[in-house]
Amino acid sequence: MAESSTQENVGEDNVASVVVLVTGGCGYVGTHTVVRLLEQNVQVVVVDNVAWTTEGTEDSKPKSLQRVEELTGKAVAFHNIDISNGDALEKIFDSYRFDCVIHLAALKSVGDSCRLPLDYYRNNVAGTVTLLEVMKSHQVKKLVFSSSATVYGEPQYLPINEEHVTGQKVTNPYGRTKYFIEEILRDLCTSDPEWSAICLRYFNPVGAHPSGRIGEDPAGVPCNLMPYVAQVAVGRRPKLAVYGNDYPTPDGTGIRDYIHIMDLAEGHWAATKKILQNGSKGSWLAYNLGLGRGYSVLDVVKCFESVSGRSIAVDFVCRRDGDVASSYSDCSLASSQLDWKASRTLTDMCTDMWRWQSINPNGYQSN
Ligand code: UD1
């Protein structure tokens, strides 16, 4: 069994004995977060059902995790299991003594969630309950949860801070799974002061590791803006459909708060440090992770054209159902309580995204 230590005060120098379970560690947010943890000498164990790829049998690591190991020169224990499989999770918890869990495993397609809501509630909500039950039975009661700014629904004011109402006017089942899980965690922390949970409300994560070795590898046609733009730039798709140019914004296109995936990964490390400190015992906390400013669809297109030297053809089409005109964050709470602030610019995001996309035009299947 891997050793662990109860961390009274986790600083940069005393984390070597920390053992963290990362669910969904093979995915986009997961791989970048695992890199950050390994750089801090944290011992990382990943569980992932690698549903997004044909790779990764019980004995073989998916390419994304192999690349994480190449990048960091460190090993990651990998278990190909689904978080809904309580028996398999029990065995993992019997084999390691975790200090905390970073829970990223989830289905995440907004469109699919509208067609297949039960799949989303089973995987995301019921899967999380299974994970929490196993954690409880092993006395592991610290969780960092991958939430989303989608819990805010239609923004009532801008910039959005954590005081903003959640769970109202959330336009799709995917978003509601994030909201319900936040509430489950809140109830759990209220019921038992040994639990602590930190919900990280991501705005729009984009970009890639600056090495170009790991990045986002969406299955099928990307639904999100930046991966779509990158695929147009690399020639995989002819043009971008811009969903609406009649919004009440300066250029008429939607405004979002894009955050570099490496800044997001650092946010997970900052939250992990906080939760490992005794001070966060018995608490439920939520933090926005964003850049704290908005860019329009056309800002993103122009920036991507400039860093890639490719022109991006666009078609203006109708608004997409469920989209809002503008959304951007106030991240001052994360700055004051987690000592975290996003520092990478839109140019950094596009540059790193383009490096990843041009070296790996077909994602992890490229080479
Ligand atoms: C979307 C999801 C949100 C999820 C997030 C994950 C919806 C309604 N919301 O957020 O629940 O948490 O992704 O990152 O799907 N756009 C285009 N053309 C495209 C794609 C996007 O014009 O092909 C525009 C959108 O209208 C929007 C902006 O680009 O104004 C960003 O879109 P996207 O990347 O999909 O993110 P969100 O809609 O903010």
Side-chain angles (χ1 to χ4, degrees):
M1 175 178 287
E3 283 303 309
S4 91
S5 62
T6 304
Q7 298 297 309
E8 296 301 320
N9 215 334
V10 178
E12 300 290 327
D13 304 326
N14 62 343
V15 295
S17 54
V18 170
V19 187
V20 174
L21 173 67
V22 182
T23 74
C26 298
Y28 177 44
V29 177
T31 45
H32 293 81
T33 298
V34 171
V35 165
R36 192 73 189 98
L37 295 173
L38 293 173
E39 284 169 357
Q40 297 298 328
N41 293 320
V42 169
Q43 187 185 332
V44 180
V45 178
V46 165
V47 302
D48 197 309
N49 68 359
V50 286
W52 47 277
T53 171
T54 49
E55 299 176 276
T57 62
E58 232 159 282
D59 304 319
S60 79
K61 281 179 188 159
K63 206 178 255 182
S64 64
L65 218 50
Q66 287 173 26
R67 296 222 181 147
V68 166
E69 292 186 330
E70 286 162 25
L71 267 176
T72 58
K74 296 195 174 139
V76 184
F78 166 66
H79 300 275
N80 184 345
I81 64 160
D82 193 299
I83 53 158
S84 305
N85 184 345
D87 292 342
L89 270 185
E90 286 281 351
K91 289 195 186 118
I92 307 286
F93 276 74
D94 285 340
S95 312
Y96 305 90
R97 204 174 298 135
F98 297 119
D99 292 287
C100 97
V101 176
I102 301 179
H103 177 34
L104 312 173
L107 297 177
K108 61 169 193 174
S109 157
V110 169
D112 286 353
S113 79
C114 296
R115 289 189 300 107
L116 304 164
L118 294 180
D119 287 8
Y120 274 68
Y121 289 121
R122 175 172 296 284
N123 272 277
N124 294 6
V125 180
T128 299
V129 172
T130 300
L131 171 67
L132 293 170
E133 284 169 343
V134 175
M135 287 175 67
K136 184 181 169 193
S137 71
H138 288 78
Q139 290 295 310
V140 179
K141 294 184 173 178
K142 292 171 191 285
L143 184 90
V144 174
F145 171 58
S146 147
S147 188
S148 166
T150 196
V151 301
Y152 294 121
E154 193 179 321
Q156 307 295 302
Y157 58 84
L158 292 169
I160 305 172
N161 61 17
E162 292 82 355
E163 309 271 282
H164 189 287
V165 66
T166 57
Q168 283 179 20
K169 296 193 184 166
V170 178
T171 53
N172 57 75
Y174 157 76
R176 274 187 285 279
T177 66
K178 294 291 176 188
Y179 168 68
F180 292 150
I181 294 166
E182 282 202 359
E183 294 304 298
I184 289 168
L185 292 172
R186 196 197 294 265
D187 288 340
L188 194 56
C189 293
T190 305
S191 73
D192 174 355
E194 285 185 2
W195 276 96
S196 45
I198 296 183
C199 301
L200 298 176
R201 295 176 178 159
Y202 312 160
F203 279 70
N204 292 57
V206 296
H209 189 275
S211 65
R213 297 290 291 157
I214 56 172
E216 187 172 13
D217 187 12
V221 182
C223 302
N224 297 118
L225 177 66
M226 185 81 88
Y228 202 104
V229 167
Q231 291 194 5
V232 175
V234 86
R236 267 176 81 178
R237 317 224 168 253
K239 57 173 70 166
L240 170 77
V242 176
Y243 299 137
N245 60 350
D246 56 352
Y247 283 109
T249 61
D251 66 20
T253 66
I255 288 181
R256 294 292 183 277
D257 184 336
Y258 297 94
I259 171 173
H260 196 295
I261 189 72
M262 296 304 297
D263 280 328
L264 195 81
E266 283 167 14
H268 287 75
W269 170 233
T272 303
K273 277 193 291 183
K274 181 164 182 78
I275 213 164
L276 291 174
Q277 289 164 357
N278 256 2
S280 62
K281 239 185 168 184
S283 58
W284 178 95
L285 300 162
Y287 297 102
N288 287 342
L289 297 184
L291 187 59
R293 61 163 296 179
Y295 290 100
S296 74
V297 174
L298 293 181
D299 289 336
V300 171
V301 169
K302 279 182 212 139
C303 187
F304 212 95
E305 284 184 319
S306 129
V307 306
S308 66
R310 305 281 174 98
S311 68
I312 317 276
V314 302
D315 248 354
F316 293 102
V317 301
C318 298
R319 294 179 180 191
R320 181 172 66 178
D321 276 354
D323 272 353
V324 297
S326 291
S327 169
Y328 51 92
S329 64
D330 173 344
C331 291
S332 47
L333 197 65
S335 163
S336 63
Q337 295 190 6
L338 298 180
D339 194 22
W340 171 90
K341 201 172 184 324
S343 60
R344 292 160 177 94
T345 63
L346 182 63
T347 302
D348 297 331
M349 301 177 210
C350 293
T351 304
D352 291 335
M353 186 81 178
W354 175 238
R355 188 178 300 105
W356 155 253
Q357 184 69 69
S358 46
I359 299 174
N360 310 272
N362 295 307
Y364 289 110
Q365 303 303 324
S366 301
N367 38 49

